[in-house]
Amino acid sequence: MKIAILSRNARLFSTKRLVEAARVRGHSVRVLDPLRCYMRIAAGTFEIHYKGHVLRGIDAVIPRIGASITFYGTAVVRQFEMMGVFTPNGSDAILRARDKLRTLQLLAREGIDLPTTVFGDNPDDTADLLAMLGPAPHVIKLNEGAQGQGVLLAEKNSAAQGMIEAFRGLYANFLVQEFIGEAKGADLRCFVVDGKVIAAMQRQAPEGDFRANLHRGGTAVPVSLTAVEVATAVRAAQVMGLGIAGVDLLRSRRGPLVLEVNSSPGLEGIEAASAVDVAGEIIDFLARATRSDVSGSPRRRARRNT
Ligand code: ADP
């Protein structure tokens, strides 16, 4: 199988691990910087060029599209889809997952539980908006934030009002959630590949913080998930249409709550904490998906994704 990894930096841990896992399994693999892929679109024909050459014969791509290049990166993924190349995460699914509000709307429609969330535009509605959530503390987060940046805890209503004013002043899209205090600064990262949770870890926020992101100094330990947690993570990835997903859950009194679904989950923390060969599982998934039988041919799968 000929695999392309769409990643801006071949030296990143996740990218290196995917390359290694593909090579170990005897596949041909190369890393393509999505910003160096340029495209030709004409009636019924699609081409991608890279550093002066036409890309040909690629069976599968693994998109690792950073938030800062979402628009261009997903256009490149879409072009591959149009050419019938298999991708575990389609361009539309990546776009859905980038938007926290949209993610929560889609999950809630399917009855998947999440922290109750409100959003609104007009400052005149702020007091009522917060009342819709119930008493503080509240969590205020940027809609397109990542790695815990722009996730704030407001202990009191007045603090929430102030933070909301500040976000509005910056023209930032944000949402406000009930604070799940009983999670005690811990969350669960469930790594879903091809409809199965293949690895999981519990992340714990550093002392004095409530955000468990590893980039914010959180620590990770292996964890065994309950059947309900596994089912919730698998369902969340499925609703988002993602073949590879990092589903973040909070353990709450009323059961698992989905925080977000990441379409380019990192491999370093999860492989270290779980001792699972996550990169290998991803490559095995691509191999299964591109095996050309009639029902699961890459071309058909790609069409369904777009
Ligand atoms: P990001 O996309 O920036 O990682 P998240 O929504 O996942 O943002 O939030 C970052 C961290 O903050 C989570 O991993 C979790 O530990 C904590 N957190 C987020 N929302 C809540 C909430 N409503 N209640 C309690 N903790 C939360």
Side-chain angles (χ1 to χ4, degrees), residues 167-185:
F167 275 155
R168 284 214 174 102
L170 297 167
Y171 299 99
N173 284 317
F174 61 90
L175 39 96
V176 191
Q177 292 184 330
E178 61 173 323
F179 174 59
I180 308 300
E182 67 265 28
K184 296 198 173 65

Side-chain angles (χ1 to χ4, degrees), residues 58-258:
I58 295 174
D59 301 297
V61 286
I62 306 176
R64 306 280 315 169
I65 306 297
S68 61
I69 61 153
T70 299
F71 176 79
Y72 196 86
T74 52
V76 173
V77 176
R78 196 178 307 112
Q79 186 83 353
F80 277 110
E81 291 172 78
M82 298 295 171
M83 292 160 57
V85 176
F86 174 76
T87 176
N89 290 348
S91 50
D92 286 344
I94 298 170
L95 284 170
R96 264 180 235 128
R98 278 291 135 85
D99 181 338
K100 289 188 202 234
L101 196 49
R102 187 175 179 191
T103 299
L104 296 176
Q105 288 170 323
L106 294 170
L107 298 177
R109 181 173 64 183
E110 300 301 318
I112 296 172
D113 209 359
L114 33 96
T116 303
T117 302
V118 297
F119 64 100
D121 183 66
N122 195 299
D124 292 344
D125 301 321
T126 302
D128 194 32
L129 191 70
L130 292 176
M132 280 156 62
L133 260 190
H138 298 135
V139 174
I140 300 164
K141 50 178 88 165
L142 284 176
N143 191 44
E144 278 147 35
Q147 299 173 349
Q149 283 167 336
V151 179
L152 304 168
L153 178 63
E155 307 262 9
K156 293 197 176 126
N157 254 36
S158 55
Q161 299 248 12
M163 289 174 195
I164 289 171
E165 269 167 37
F167 275 155
R168 284 214 174 102
L170 297 167
Y171 299 99
N173 284 317
F174 61 90
L175 39 96
V176 191
Q177 292 184 330
E178 61 173 323
F179 174 59
I180 308 300
E182 67 265 28
K184 296 198 173 65
D187 75 2
L188 306 173
R189 160 57 61 94
C190 311
F191 207 108
V192 180
V193 175
D194 194 17
K196 285 196 193 74
V197 177
I198 55 128
M201 63 178 165
Q202 179 165 352
R203 299 178 299 195
Q204 181 67 50
E207 191 68 32
D209 203 330
F210 72 103
R211 298 165 303 172
N213 306 74
L214 299 184
H215 285 94
R216 308 240 70 76
T219 48
V221 287
V223 67
S224 32
L225 302 176
T226 66
V228 178
E229 286 162 352
V230 169
T232 303
V234 166
R235 185 88 181 101
Q238 185 193 32
V239 167
M240 299 299 290
L242 293 166
I244 299 171
V247 181
D248 293 343
L249 302 179
L250 285 181
R251 282 184 165 156
S252 81
R253 274 191 282 273
R254 59 179 195 266
L257 308 180
V258 178

